[in-house]
Amino acid sequence: MTTPVVHDAACIFCKIIKGEIPSKKLIETSHSYSFLDIQPLAKGHALIVPKYHGAKLHDIPDEFLTDILPIAKKLSKALGVDNNGIENPIGYNVLQNNGKIAHQEVSHVHFHVIPKRDKDTGLVVGWPAQPTDFAKLDQTHKEIMAKLDSNL
Ligand code: 5GP
Ligand code: ZN
């Protein structure tokens, strides 16, 4: 059985999906809608949203999530960021934020596809890596595996 499509009348991305707010549409499928970000970090910065209203990744049924990465792949080619030139490499980031503390502004799940053509445009990431500690890793692994084994 197909999961029914759920909308929230007050949500800006639900309004975009329904065409109530204009957008620069890129790819649309039965489960997803993609369009240009209105305040791009770089030229071609795109968003992909499931046609299902949910704030965070874990709120979205799997059939909507599995539709999204192939769209990100198509967009990477259309944006011309799939070119692994050695002289002048262009990259891209696929980003998905969950929660205000994790920089989520719009409470409808969305994946960013952000071209990275140079160090100043595109995504700039802070990466506060901690030193490797195998005892801590072991403990963390045990904690997570216990939850996974209890079928959370
Ligand atoms: P977040 O910080 O929630 O991960 O990203 C939300 C993104 O949605 C931002 O990059 C912002 O520019 C974009 N955005 C917010 N409102 C609109 C809108 O009305 N139209 C479009 N195209 N993008 C929007
Ligand atoms: Zn929504």
Side-chain angles (χ1 to χ4, degrees):
M1 198 184 79
T2 312
T3 310
V5 175
V6 174
H7 292 297
D8 174 339
C11 168
I12 193 160
F13 285 174
C14 285
K15 287 181 183 173
I16 284 177
I17 292 166
K18 286 189 276 176
E20 293 172 6
I21 291 179
S23 67
K24 296 293 181 195
K25 181 168 107 173
L26 296 168
I27 296 174
E28 182 172 14
T29 69
S30 57
H31 284 70
S32 311
Y33 188 91
S34 70
F35 53 104
L36 287 177
D37 194 297
I38 206 167
Q39 290 188 297
L41 296 183
K43 184 183 173 192
H45 179 169
L47 299 174
I48 310 166
V49 302
K51 289 182 173 176
Y52 183 99
H53 180 82
K56 298 181 184 168
L57 188 74
H58 57 264
D59 298 321
I60 308 299
D62 288 357
E63 67 198 84
F64 288 86
L65 295 179
T66 53
D67 196 57
I68 285 175
L69 281 183
I71 295 175
K73 181 175 161 182
K74 276 198 187 105
L75 288 176
S76 75
K77 294 177 184 179
L79 295 171
V81 293
D82 59 327
N83 177 354
N84 297 325
I86 291 169
E87 297 271 318
N88 189 18
I90 293 174
Y92 59 105
N93 294 94
V94 176
L95 174 70
Q96 197 271 314
N97 301 325
N98 295 280
K100 211 162 183 49
I101 194 169
H103 306 286
Q104 183 180 16
E105 296 298 330
V106 177
S107 294
H108 179 133
V109 162
H110 49 281
F111 288 70
H112 298 256
V113 180
I114 312 169
K116 187 70 181 169
R117 300 187 181 89
D118 52 65
K119 71 175 178 51
D120 297 322
T121 65
L123 187 66
V124 178
V125 187
W127 197 271
Q130 299 170 15
T132 304
D133 180 334
F134 286 111
K136 267 195 197 165
L137 281 180
D138 190 41
Q139 181 57 30
T140 305
H141 184 242
K142 280 199 180 92
E143 287 167 18
I144 297 170
M145 290 310 293
K147 299 253 184 179
L148 287 174
D149 290 341
S150 67
N151 287 325
L152 257 194

